[in-house]
Amino acid sequence: MAESLCCEDPEPSERFPVGPLFVPVRPGPSGCMTRAFRTPLGDRTAVGFTSERRLIATLGPGQAWIRLAESALRALTAPLGVTTVTVDPVFTARAPRPVEPVVPALALRVG
């Protein structure tokens, strides 16, 4: 009689190293800061890409980046409460358009 095979867990619970990542950054008061993103459910996540090509395809050619190991990215974002690292996300929301400057209304004199 043949044994039935059990399906593998689709998301392994053990972390495994993915190698150096291309991590999106933004300018900060003392240099570059890693960018935090949101998952579709609204949780904060750090993001890394396995190639510069994937980063550019997702975030555009103007996105600044640095190379970090996954463990270094986790160490940098953990104090901020970010415990998830998403590798090679493919869907992102477009950056918001610049807000039109508010033109102050003319001061009215009452009196």
Side-chain angles (χ1 to χ4, degrees), residues 67-86:
R67 294 287 304 246
L68 287 175
E70 179 190 2
S71 58
L73 179 57
R74 287 184 186 281
L76 285 172
T77 57
L80 304 173
V82 179
T83 58
T84 305
V85 173
T86 303

Side-chain angles (χ1 to χ4, degrees), residues 96-104:
R97 287 190 215 153
V99 178
E100 295 292 325
V102 177
V103 179

Side-chain angles (χ1 to χ4, degrees), residues 38 58 88-93:
R38 297 261 179 203
T58 304
D88 289 331
V90 290
F91 298 113
T92 61

